[in-house]
Amino acid sequence: MRENLYENPYTILSIDKYVGDNPYPGRGIICGLTPDGKKAVSAYFIMGRSANSRNRVFEADGDDVIIKPADDSKVEDPSLIVYYPVRVIDGDMIVTNGDQTDTIAKVMIEGGTFEDALNTRKFEPDGPNWTPRISSVFDFDKDAEELRYKMSILKAGDPEGKTCARFYYSYTGFPGLGHFIHTYETDGNPIPTFIGEPERVEIPQGMDAFADLIWNSLNEDNKISLFVRYHDMETGTDETKIVNKYTRV
């Protein structure tokens, strides 16, 4: 749907317009604000093509979320599939597609920044795909007049994976608007890396409706798990929904 953006850079599309006909956007993060301007919204989904990648479920761990194998006996390589995609640190929420979640949390606790943390990391070591690391963080400062969030993508700067290109995006929340970044453009061999800046997506008012829209739009064969959270910025309370294709045994 990128052709729509060439006509108007302020176009906002429903998430199904981006993923509905795309067999493999990979892993994706959405950050945004509800139309009434009261709730910060975050979503994260994972997809997989191999048996190892598909053998996963999301589980809540307090305010955090962990990825675990659906069947421990079928795990081939846990290094890139088992991690915390969601961490809440001092009220701020970090969402990523890998173990850089913990890197960001550690650096922020020590007084560093989102960018400081990611400057120490690079894309995943899974050549020739060199899967990008995508990350986000919400700043839930109650004294701030507006919602702020950041997103990032770290990807290979060359086909051999010898260099890393790091991109950072900083946003102010706008009612009804979200930003969507994903690891891949579509399916392929090697899988083509996401190109450009985060895409502008519609954020609906209701969490269940948004979760259903995302889940039902993802490719049936390749989708695995989805996390959606609506955070009330006034009360600090959360609504969270987790959807798993598979059941942990």
Side-chain angles (χ1 to χ4, degrees):
M1 300 302 298
R2 292 184 186 276
E3 62 271 15
N4 298 72
L5 305 182
Y6 299 145
E7 298 174 4
N8 182 355
Y10 300 108
T11 295
I12 304 175
L13 299 176
S14 175
I15 185 63
D16 61 298
K17 301 299 183 183
Y18 287 111
V19 303
D21 295 324
N22 188 342
Y24 204 57
R27 286 166 271 174
I29 297 174
I30 302 170
C31 297
L33 187 63
T34 52
D36 64 5
K38 295 182 179 180
K39 295 181 179 180
V41 176
S42 185
Y44 176 59
F45 65 79
I46 59 174
M47 307 180 78
R49 303 187 304 174
S50 69
N52 190 52
S53 292
R54 290 177 175 178
N55 182 33
R56 292 184 284 177
V57 296
F58 286 178
E59 285 190 3
D61 183 9
D63 291 332
D64 300 341
V65 173
I66 187 172
I67 297 178
K68 292 183 177 180
D71 186 340
D72 291 324
S73 68
K74 296 180 180 179
V75 175
E76 299 171 15
D77 178 9
S79 62
L80 295 177
I81 67 166
V82 177
Y83 56 90
Y84 275 86
V86 180
R87 291 280 198 190
V88 177
I89 304 297
D90 295 330
D92 295 339
M93 184 167 62
I94 303 162
V95 180
T96 89
N97 74 324
D99 64 9
Q100 73 268 26
T101 309
D102 292 327
T103 303
I104 296 168
K106 180 177 183 295
V107 170
M108 289 179 61
I109 289 172
E110 294 173 348
T113 66
F114 180 69
E115 294 86 352
D116 290 337
L118 290 171
N119 283 340
T120 71
R121 300 301 303 268
K122 63 178 186 178
F123 49 87
E124 295 180 1
D126 62 343
N129 295 319
W130 308 123
T131 298
R133 291 191 187 272
I134 54 175
S135 309
S136 67
V137 63
F138 272 104
D139 179 0
F140 291 139
D141 182 356
K142 284 192 173 184
D143 295 327
E145 296 182 358
E146 54 196 9
L147 174 67
R148 297 187 297 268
Y149 56 93
K150 296 179 180 180
M151 305 183 82
S152 172
I153 182 168
L154 313 180
K155 56 186 180 178
D158 61 90
E160 290 74 37
K162 294 180 179 179
T163 60
C164 181
R166 297 177 175 87
F167 300 88
Y168 300 103
Y169 306 91
S170 181
Y171 297 105
T172 297
F174 186 83
L177 171 65
H179 292 91
F180 173 42
I181 194 167
H182 42 103
T183 51
Y184 307 125
E185 284 290 294
T186 188
D187 206 351
N189 188 23
I191 315 174
T193 295
F194 177 84
I195 298 171
E197 65 183 61
E199 298 155 339
R200 295 162 61 88
V201 297
E202 296 174 351
I203 301 293
Q205 189 62 43
M207 181 193 68
D208 287 334
F210 193 36
D212 290 345
L213 178 62
I214 298 170
W215 186 249
N216 293 333
S217 298
L218 293 171
N219 180 270
E220 183 64 31
D221 292 333
N222 295 325
K223 66 184 179 183
I224 301 171
S225 295
L226 168 69
F227 156 86
V228 180
R229 178 169 292 168
Y230 275 46
H231 175 82
D232 189 306
M233 294 181 291
E234 182 176 350
T235 65
T237 58
D238 294 325
E239 296 176 88
T240 301
K241 186 167 187 176
I242 289 175
V243 184
N244 290 308
K245 184 174 182 178
Y246 304 106
T247 302
R248 182 164 168 79
V249 297

